[in-house]
Amino acid sequence: MFYRLVLDRKPTTPGGAELYADLRPYVEVTKTVEFDPDGLAFGDLGNFWLPSGGGAETRDIEDRWAIDFAVPCIVGAVGLDYTGPIAPAEDDYGMDIRVEVLGLSYGDRLYKIPVGPRVVTTNTRVEWTFFVVVKNTSGQTMHDLVITDRFGAQLDCLDDYEVTYACSSPSWTFEQYTNSSGTQDRIRWTTSELGPWDRGILIITVATKTNPAGKQEYTSPGVYTLNSGAVLKWKDDAGVQHSESTEPISVTAVSP
């Protein structure tokens, strides 16, 4: 199960627009020490991993997060020797924490998780964040890995992407380019090998772009392809080529 923790402002009434003063600056959320170093924005519950001492395959079926609250002093009531956080005013503070399950990938070597709306309004800028995950779920090293992906012509890849690892840190290469006509963004993500139970995570954000006429995509109602599906190719220890792919992802645009 892939998931993330989301820290939000807290409404003073359920579903209301009025919010409590923001408690988030005084709260720190960290994963307790584990072999599997997930980050706050992305967790992988149930990832396979191999204990550092070697041995049989082990299943990690529990993640634990610590929520630390540093109670602040209020401006105007701070002691001379106080070094902690300071709140700007006395008020009622609040915060919501929720777990968002992004998808399931048991047994898959390649998985792609889109975070963002599947129904959007025409002529409105929208962003999506994709988590592209490659996992070695076997006891053999995967060699010469190449992950390719392409996005719809209505989208632009933004410049913020991040690659993270679990268990080890192999050398990854990321390339962002377009097709021959310059109308489609594509990515290529490679590494020479991925050891048993290792994984890599690529986080990339895309957004609807303006077309040559200066209009914001999507310009008319319909079903559009966000992403045609990622493809993973690799070789096993014997040099045999393998591949795995993800399903296309679509979005529906509707009139305001």
Side-chain angles (χ1 to χ4, degrees):
M1 180 180 77
F2 293 116
Y3 68 94
R4 66 174 179 170
L5 302 183
V6 178
L7 280 58
D8 268 345
R9 296 286 302 276
K10 185 177 185 65
T12 56
T13 58
E18 187 175 346
L19 303 172
Y20 284 106
D22 195 357
L23 187 65
R24 293 176 298 176
Y26 315 106
V27 173
E28 182 178 8
V29 180
T30 56
K31 192 174 185 184
T32 57
V33 177
E34 287 189 11
F35 192 77
D36 175 5
D38 291 321
L40 176 64
F42 185 87
D44 184 356
L45 186 64
N47 186 48
F48 286 108
W49 55 274
L50 193 67
S52 56
E57 174 187 309
T58 304
R59 185 97 172 131
D60 176 17
I61 58 173
E62 183 179 89
D63 286 346
R64 295 187 179 186
W65 298 85
I67 302 172
D68 294 318
F69 174 37
V71 181
C73 280
I74 307 299
V75 168
V78 181
L80 294 177
D81 58 348
Y82 178 74
T83 60
I86 300 174
E90 185 174 352
D91 206 338
D92 291 330
Y93 289 79
M95 179 188 73
D96 282 340
I97 302 179
R98 69 177 185 273
V99 177
E100 290 187 351
V101 176
L102 304 177
L104 304 173
S105 71
Y106 184 79
D108 292 339
R109 289 184 175 88
L110 180 66
Y111 198 81
K112 184 169 56 183
I113 303 163
V115 179
R118 295 299 184 93
V119 178
V120 301
T121 304
T122 55
N123 302 301
T124 303
R125 188 180 186 277
V126 184
E127 287 189 7
W128 294 266
T129 298
F130 286 89
F131 295 84
V132 183
V133 184
V134 57
K135 298 164 58 175
N136 187 346
T137 59
S138 74
Q140 290 190 12
T141 297
M142 299 169 68
H143 303 273
D144 301 328
L145 291 87
V146 179
I147 298 100
T148 55
D149 207 349
R150 55 187 179 181
F151 297 91
Q154 298 84 5
L155 303 177
D156 270 331
C157 289
L158 304 185
D159 291 332
D160 53 335
Y161 64 88
E162 177 184 358
V163 178
T164 59
Y165 311 100
C167 304
S168 70
S169 297
S171 176
W172 292 92
T173 299
F174 176 85
E175 179 186 2
Q176 181 178 325
Y177 61 104
T178 62
N179 60 354
S180 57
S181 61
T183 59
Q184 241 184 4
D185 279 329
R186 299 183 176 182
I187 64 170
R188 182 183 293 113
W189 189 35
T190 63
T191 188
S192 59
E193 63 179 38
L194 190 67
W197 327 118
D198 286 351
R199 67 177 175 176
I201 302 173
L202 173 68
I203 304 172
I204 187 166
T205 301
V206 301
T208 49
K209 63 183 179 183
T210 53
N211 62 23
K215 295 184 178 181
Q216 179 71 56
E217 299 285 4
Y218 300 99
T219 56
S220 59
V223 177
Y224 295 85
T225 299
L226 264 181
N227 184 274
S228 59
V231 177
L232 165 66
K233 295 183 178 180
W234 79 96
K235 295 177 182 178
D236 61 23
D237 287 338
V240 178
Q241 183 80 47
H242 301 270
S243 66
E244 189 170 307
S245 60
T246 64
E247 294 294 326
I249 299 172
S250 62
V251 63
T252 301
V254 297
S255 298

